Amino acid sequence: MVGYDPDKKKLTSSQILIASTGSGFVARFLLQPIDVIKIRLQLQIEPIRRQTGSKYHSLLQSIRLIHHEEGIRAFWKGHVAAQFLSISFTAAQMYSFEKVTQQMGEIFPSTTTSPTAKVITHFIAGSIAASVGVLSCQPADVLRTRFVGQGEPKIYKSYMQAINLVWTHEGIRGFYRGSIPAIILYAPVSALTFGFYEFFNRTWDRLPLEHFHSVKHAFNGGLAGLLARLIVYPFDLTKKRLEVVNFEEARSKFGQTRIYSGMMNCFSEIFRHEGFTGLYKGIAPSMIKAYISTAITLSIYDSLCNTLRKTSSD
């Protein structure tokens, strides 16, 4: 079970970190290609349909075009930064979530016994955990987005060069571009994910589904992640747009580029020039990723936690 449970053996800090980094690593490696496609669609100013000036027209066309122009390795562009992002975010998020739910459970025992109180507790703890996670890994997210979003010839040829260029031309602020929409995005996403996940698990336990218990965490985790991501998706898109401000030269071959002064300006410009649907560019691969990623992360995390409990008790 994800979160504090007084009836189960308490995990140590190192065990929480092992379980969270392991689940984050596997999920990121498997889903990096979907993330690359999602980011390319999110960053495109032109409509996602066949018309003059639009580079990417659809999900399948984007896959074929990226493979044709850049090869199979393009689907893992920015993977090192993305892997660091995934591991650091998942570790910070899950560690914070476990500790916050533990503290709340010890101070207010009703949060572990009352179904409604537990869902609310997971909602609050999820929001706090995501904020900690965002602040710990936003620089890696900025680098990941820029590596994925650049064309040929490359502006960033290595991670050390990228870090040096961002620091030289943009300062510390450059590493935290998009951090406000990131917190606005991930805090409710995490809150809704953990809240939905706990609610779905409790609902599952009331149904005659004993023979399907092995798929419980994957199914419920995936559904929770999908619903949470759908609700706040526009913030993910604006975050990506802000992360590539001052990176227009590397994106010149992908079509139009724009400079945004902040989150609200980004929202208004997208709505004015691209319409309401512009706020949902890349929604298809994002929903696929949200379901699979959350399903993999939570099911592997839960499995590793149970394994570590059994191993340490021997």
Side-chain angles (χ1 to χ4, degrees):
M1 176 64 68
V2 177
Y4 176 67
D5 186 341
D7 296 327
K8 289 190 175 182
K9 184 176 181 179
K10 189 186 301 183
L11 292 169
T12 65
S13 296
S14 59
Q15 287 174 326
I16 294 172
L17 292 175
I18 290 171
S20 58
T21 55
S23 59
F25 177 85
V26 173
R28 171 56 59 184
F29 178 78
L30 295 176
L31 295 170
Q32 178 69 6
I34 298 176
D35 210 33
V36 168
I37 298 164
K38 181 194 73 142
I39 291 173
R40 292 289 181 90
L41 294 176
Q42 287 178 323
L43 295 180
Q44 180 167 292
I45 303 296
E46 296 81 3
I48 309 296
R49 61 173 181 266
R50 187 180 296 278
Q51 70 170 48
T52 303
S54 290
K55 186 176 181 68
Y56 301 122
H57 310 150
S58 67
L59 179 60
L60 292 178
Q61 182 265 350
S62 302
I63 295 171
R64 290 194 297 266
L65 186 60
I66 293 172
H67 182 265
H68 173 72
E69 292 186 343
E70 305 169 60
I72 192 69
R73 293 180 63 183
F75 292 104
W76 273 271
K77 273 188 174 181
H79 182 58
V80 174
Q83 197 60 264
F84 179 80
L85 163 69
S86 180
I87 291 174
S88 59
F89 179 81
T90 305
Q93 180 189 37
M94 299 307 291
Y95 182 84
S96 301
F97 182 80
E98 295 285 355
K99 293 302 180 182
V100 171
T101 55
Q102 179 184 330
Q103 288 296 315
M104 294 182 73
E106 292 174 349
I107 297 172
F108 307 105
S110 62
T111 60
T112 63
T113 56
S114 168
T116 301
K118 192 166 187 178
V119 170
I120 295 173
T121 299
H122 281 209
F123 184 91
I124 296 171
S127 179
I128 296 172
S131 300
V132 174
V134 166
L135 293 176
S136 69
C137 65
Q138 184 63 15
D141 197 15
V142 170
L143 292 176
R144 183 275 302 258
T145 299
R146 293 190 177 193
F147 270 98
V148 171
Q150 71 177 346
E152 301 291 343
K154 295 176 180 177
I155 300 298
Y156 294 164
K157 297 180 175 62
S158 69
Y159 286 98
M160 290 307 298
Q161 182 217 20
I163 293 169
N164 182 59
L165 286 175
V166 173
W167 177 260
T168 301
H169 297 292
E170 303 172 58
I172 188 67
R173 183 181 178 183
F175 291 106
Y176 285 90
R177 289 191 181 277
S179 57
I180 293 176
I183 292 174
I184 295 174
L185 164 70
Y186 287 115
V189 162
S190 182
L192 290 168
T193 297
F194 285 113
F196 281 143
Y197 182 60
E198 177 61 24
F199 174 76
F200 292 153
N201 281 340
R202 289 192 172 274
T203 302
W204 182 287
D205 290 337
R206 296 192 192 101
L207 301 174
L209 297 171
E210 295 86 358
H211 299 296
F212 301 94
H213 190 77
S214 59
V215 300
K216 169 183 173 181
H217 298 292
F219 180 83
N220 291 342
L223 185 59
L226 184 102
L227 291 176
R229 179 68 63 168
L230 183 63
I231 292 171
V232 297
Y233 182 78
F235 289 102
D236 189 26
L237 186 137
T238 56
K239 180 174 76 76
K240 292 295 187 296
R241 294 285 182 93
L242 290 172
E243 286 176 344
V244 293
V245 169
N246 289 339
F247 196 56
E248 291 72 33
E249 182 183 352
R251 295 199 40 75
S252 59
K253 289 184 169 53
F254 288 97
Q256 297 180 45
T257 60
R258 286 205 174 94
I259 298 176
Y260 306 106
S261 59
M263 184 182 71
M264 294 309 298
N265 173 251
C266 185
F267 261 119
S268 63
E269 287 294 299
I270 292 172
F271 188 78
R272 186 155 66 95
H273 294 286
E274 303 169 56
F276 178 76
T277 56
L279 294 170
Y280 285 87
K281 284 181 174 177
I283 188 69
S286 183
M287 292 302 98
I288 294 171
K289 179 197 170 187
Y291 186 93
I292 300 175
S293 176
T294 313
I296 291 174
T297 301
L298 291 180
S299 58
I300 292 179
Y301 177 79
D302 186 79
S303 177
L304 286 174
C305 285
N306 288 332
T307 299
L308 290 168
R309 285 190 183 98
K310 293 175 182 176
T311 301
S312 61
S313 63
D314 292 341

